[in-house]
Amino acid sequence: MRAKSSSRSQRSNSEKKISKESVRMTVPFQSPRGMRDILPEDQVYWGHIDRVLAKVVQEFGFQKITLPTVECAGVFTRSVGEGTDIIEKEMYTFPSRGGDMLALRPELTAGMVRAFIQNGMQVLAKPVKLFTQGPAFRYDRPQEGRYREFYQADFEVFGEDDPIMDAQMIQMAYRTLLTLGLKNVTFQVNTLGSEEDKKQYRKLLVSYLRSKKIKLCRDCKRRLAINPLRILDCKEEKCQQVAQSAPQTVDHLSPEARNHFKFLLEYLDELEIPYSICPSLVRGLDYYSGTVFEILSAGFNGRQSALGGGGRYDTLVKRMGGEQTPAIGFGIGLDRVVMCMKREKTKVYSDPKPKVFLAQLGELAKKKSLRLFAQLEKNGILVRESFGRGGLKAQLRHSSKIGAEITIILGQKEAIDETVIVKDMVSGSQETVSQERLVEIIKKMLKNNGIIFQKRQMDKDKQRE
Ligand code: AMP
């Protein structure tokens, strides 16, 4: 018998799959490749993330800012850099009707810097701590954890060059992910040194890489002329082998840059943050100098293990037309965080479920039930209903499906008498009460049920012991 019902449920599951798939094949419009709907069943994760972010933003003294999803393309070409994959291959650009070249933002930092300068935030008391959140777009090859539209949370601090700020940013990223319930979060850190150090290092690196050019992948051969640092974090096996013996940034630092990095590591030790130094970590974007870091989930393998990354960009504000302002920031990839939360089965906060169902029968009752619903809702009682249905049976089925503890029934007679039937779904008992006293009675019943459930839970716990 059991085998039969399980094969039936298997069949209905595969039927569901087939019908979903066939629907997908026949609908005339689908979301663009690499862009997806985040469905109601996943919203519990995203809602939980929003809540945790709001808490961390407040705790660390950040202010929220909302930026446009579209910027002038120059905002990114000037900051992220012409020779980077993001600009060359992945950015969605298009001319506006007025002829300006615009871009869907491929990352959030450059827009933040533009907003900081444009809104005159240089005059604010330093450090200026800003937070933003939203979609970013990259024309990448879609796969699990890699989309063309993805979501980031972005934290930036302007006007502080002390390494303690670098440590605090890493601490904050760590805190955020731990609060979200993720385990196995680790950091990779490195330093690129000052702009001058970076320039000198680049020369050294290019001369080393030229001698190994034959061993590089096709992309990296091209990168050699435009973005040689990027070769160090190419994921091709043969490029990684070349990168292993390449000169390292940490061996070519000015005394100030070395000291900055040394202090950062000491602070991270003090905070007991799990990190390793990764000499090949350069991050692909031009604007970084000094500290760079990536946030990894140790539970994942491969490229999609990166949950976020960031670093210092002390010269970017000036390069974008502002005053010289040191800055540091990081972004967390929220799609990957959701993937990890699911994989690690983290606990998520979900909205309280309604415990009361309101059923109505007949024209007059239907009309009156709208007012009753508003009255309950105004008094903080969450109620479900299915006003579109007329039959009591179907409504009661709905009520038990959502697990309601109480069903309120308003029929023709009750509507005339200004009463309702209150059915306790836990004990099965029911009584007719006046509509005037309904809120008071429901509140009392919910309280009593709460006590009963609590007692049952305690009995269960005792039995387990
Ligand atoms: P990046 O600045 O490129 O290192 O991006 C920061 C974080 O955003 C990464 O560590 C990922 O978690 C996330 N991310 C970047 N690109 C994508 C993408 N195409 N799809 C999903 N998440 C992404």
Side-chain angles (χ1 to χ4, degrees), residues 84-319:
T84 56
D85 283 356
I86 292 184
I87 300 300
E88 277 201 339
K89 298 188 194 163
E90 297 169 2
M91 191 159 75
Y92 286 84
T93 48
F94 54 96
S96 73
R97 285 184 193 271
D100 299 323
M101 191 48 88
L102 301 178
L104 291 182
R105 58 182 181 193
E107 56 98 62
L108 273 51
T109 304
M112 200 77 123
V113 173
R114 195 264 313 135
F116 175 80
I117 300 167
Q118 183 180 336
N119 295 293
M121 293 190 199
Q122 289 110 315
V123 299
L124 300 178
K126 309 261 179 354
V128 179
K129 298 177 172 182
L130 298 175
F131 163 78
T132 195
Q133 179 182 0
F137 303 84
R138 292 183 195 170
Y139 192 80
D140 208 339
R141 199 165 55 81
Q143 51 194 290
E144 202 199 2
R146 187 164 291 278
Y147 308 102
R148 289 182 177 172
E149 181 184 32
F150 58 98
Y151 295 83
Q152 282 192 341
D154 187 64
F155 298 84
E156 311 288 343
V157 175
F158 297 92
E160 180 59 77
D161 58 7
D162 195 297
I164 198 149
M165 187 47 81
D166 307 31
Q168 205 188 15
M169 293 300 262
I170 292 177
Q171 178 194 26
M172 189 172 169
Y174 192 47
R175 175 78 207 277
T176 306
L177 295 168
L178 289 194
T179 313
L180 282 166
L182 297 187
K183 298 176 190 87
N184 309 318
V185 176
T186 61
F187 290 81
Q188 286 186 338
V189 296
N190 192 23
T191 180
L192 304 175
S194 65
E195 276 298 332
E196 190 47 41
D197 295 343
K198 217 170 120 180
K199 232 184 261 167
Q200 296 301 330
Y201 173 74
R202 193 184 143 115
K203 275 189 202 153
L204 264 174
L205 182 68
V206 168
S207 93
Y208 165 78
L209 291 172
R210 277 211 183 108
S211 69
K212 307 281 178 205
K213 190 170 174 180
I214 197 150
K215 295 186 179 163
L216 296 174
C217 75
R218 227 179 50 195
D219 269 349
C220 282
K221 283 191 179 114
R222 198 176 44 82
R223 284 177 186 138
L224 189 50
I226 46 177
N227 192 359
L229 259 67
R230 179 74 181 75
I231 297 173
L232 294 180
D233 62 13
C234 174
K235 297 295 177 263
E236 290 284 332
E237 170 93 39
K238 50 186 182 177
C239 300
Q240 282 187 354
Q241 273 176 15
V242 172
Q244 258 173 22
S245 316
Q248 299 189 349
T249 54
V250 280
D251 296 328
H252 303 277
L253 297 175
S254 58
E256 299 78 40
R258 184 182 305 281
N259 246 345
H260 188 102
F261 195 48
K262 185 177 138 271
F263 275 119
L264 167 64
L265 300 184
E266 281 175 17
Y267 293 140
L268 293 181
D269 289 336
E270 180 69 28
L271 289 166
E272 296 183 18
I273 291 193
Y275 73 90
S276 58
I277 298 171
C278 178
S280 64
L281 178 68
V282 289
R283 311 250 319 126
L285 323 183
D286 270 5
Y287 55 64
Y288 288 116
S289 58
T291 306
V292 283
F293 61 93
E294 279 207 342
I295 312 160
L296 304 176
S297 167
F300 274 136
N301 287 322
R303 290 190 72 174
Q304 272 61 262
S305 63
L307 297 183
R312 274 208 165 266
Y313 50 91
D314 288 344
T315 57
L316 182 59
V317 175
K318 186 149 188 220
R319 251 202 290 160

Side-chain angles (χ1 to χ4, degrees), residues 355 405 424 426 442-460:
K355 295 176 180 161
E405 291 171 22
D424 186 336
V426 181
I442 296 286
K443 281 191 173 167
K444 206 156 135 198
M445 285 172 76
L446 288 174
K447 200 169 162 194
N448 283 345
N449 282 348
I451 296 168
I452 294 171
F453 286 132
Q454 214 175 355
K455 189 166 173 310
R456 278 188 198 158
Q457 187 58 42
M458 274 158 69
D459 290 345
K460 258 192 213 160

Side-chain angles (χ1 to χ4, degrees), residues 339-352:
M339 258 169 70
C340 277
M341 287 168 75
K342 286 183 179 175
R343 222 171 268 207
E344 296 184 20
K345 297 191 174 54
T346 57
K347 273 200 192 132
V348 285
Y349 170 87
S350 50
D351 291 328

